Amino acid sequence: MMTSLAAFTVVTTPVAGAAVNAETAASAPAIPLPCPSPAPTKPAVVMVHGAWADTSSWNGEADALRRAGYDARAIANPLRDLTSDAETVADFLKTMRGPIVLVGHSYGGSVITNAAASVPGVKALVYVDAAVPDVGETTAQLSGSGSALSANPDSLYDTAPYAGAPQGAKDLYLKQEPFVRSFGSDLPRDTAVRLWASQRAASTSAFMTPSKAAAWKTIPSWYFVSTGDQIITPDSQKAMAERARSKVTTFQGGSHLTLISHPDAVTSVIGSAICSVR
């Protein structure tokens, strides 16, 4: 499903001394590529999915970026523990040459916040309805007041043990109705049910591990806020984006899975980050 660019507004906030300006997305192409002053080397784009999802979350964005001539990769997030998940992503990034635009959705935002800190090649961060922790914060702290995840855990999750789990840790699967009603609320029901049935479990450790780094303090960032997100509330997203001094795009509507339902809007923001790399 695609959407008209008139459905969202781009509002730019300063990043380390950048000038403040605003523009409507309707005045810009869906993907602002080729860039007005392209860098000598095109950056690669690496996208990291969140909990209860997989790499296919990024299919729409990856296809569009590859059509535009960019090396776009969606890599698997282990969903085990924030520290080890970030190390896994960082190890992959270190195999790449040239500049990188690193993109994270949901819990993937916590992962890129930590992974990018040890990879000098990462030149821009893009957060899509994502957690953006500071040092010492956990992902679980960042869903916001009124998040659907604040409900009774017994009504939200099916649980299962897993091999090698730390003491007390277990896998969480979102139950069908919370997934359809709150996670992918703007998707057709049959699509949301299919995604629910193919979700990847996330360990409780992933949400409870304190962040060891905050790469957004030194790397420019962009943030895509969906006003219809019921998992990480828009207020929480905006507060994290403001703290990180991100350039913010506010999308009217959507859900926690706007990256699937409206990939053109998300790709536009990734394109803006691409064009910043020099």
Side-chain angles (χ1 to χ4, degrees), residues 174-185:
L174 270 183
K175 290 179 179 289
Q176 180 172 323
E177 278 311 303
F179 193 107
V180 173
R181 181 179 65 249
S182 303
F183 197 70
S185 54

Side-chain angles (χ1 to χ4, degrees), residues 129 186 224 226 251 253-263 266:
D129 296 320
D186 74 327
F224 182 96
S226 296
F251 182 93
S255 69
H256 196 58
L257 294 181
T258 305
L259 77 165
I260 295 175
S261 58
H262 301 285
V266 174

Side-chain angles (χ1 to χ4, degrees), residues 26-102:
S27 65
I31 308 173
L33 305 171
C35 302
S37 301
T41 302
K42 283 185 176 181
V45 180
V46 177
M47 294 166 282
V48 180
H49 65 83
W52 310 304
D54 60 23
T55 56
S56 67
S57 302
W58 296 110
N59 282 353
E61 291 82 359
D63 289 347
L65 290 164
R66 282 194 289 267
R67 286 195 300 269
Y70 287 84
D71 178 13
R73 305 287 296 275
I75 62 170
N77 182 354
L79 306 178
R80 302 290 84 186
D81 168 274
L82 178 56
T83 301
S84 61
D85 292 348
E87 289 172 353
T88 297
V89 171
D91 287 344
F92 173 80
L93 298 174
K94 290 171 184 176
T95 69
M96 306 184 74
R97 296 183 178 181
I100 300 167
V101 173
L102 187 57

Side-chain angles (χ1 to χ4, degrees), residues 190-216:
D190 60 343
T191 300
V193 169
R194 174 175 53 80
L195 292 172
W196 162 78
S198 60
Q199 68 179 285
R200 289 185 55 214
S203 170
T204 52
S205 289
F207 302 115
M208 301 306 296
T209 307
S211 180
K212 291 186 175 181
W216 48 264

Side-chain angles (χ1 to χ4, degrees), residues 105 127-132 142-144 223-244 246 248-249 255-256:
H105 170 246
Y127 295 99
V128 180
D129 296 320
V132 187
L142 301 174
S143 295
Y223 201 111
F224 182 96
V225 177
S226 296
T227 64
D229 195 333
Q230 299 176 49
I231 300 298
I232 303 179
T233 66
D235 284 347
S236 181
Q237 292 186 36
K238 291 172 184 177
M240 289 185 286
E242 181 179 1
R243 179 174 68 179
S246 303
V248 178
T249 294
S255 69
H256 196 58

Side-chain angles (χ1 to χ4, degrees), residues 14-16 82 102 108-119 122-127 130-138 142 211-223 237-247:
V15 177
L82 178 56
L102 187 57
S110 294
V111 173
I112 70 170
T113 294
N114 283 263
S118 63
V119 184
V122 176
K123 303 301 181 184
L125 300 168
V126 181
Y127 295 99
V132 187
D134 202 346
V135 175
E137 291 180 338
T138 68
L142 301 174
S211 180
K212 291 186 175 181
W216 48 264
K217 291 184 177 180
T218 57
I219 301 174
S221 62
W222 282 252
Y223 201 111
Q237 292 186 36
K238 291 172 184 177
M240 289 185 286
E242 181 179 1
R243 179 174 68 179
R245 298 178 66 81
S246 303
K247 295 179 175 68

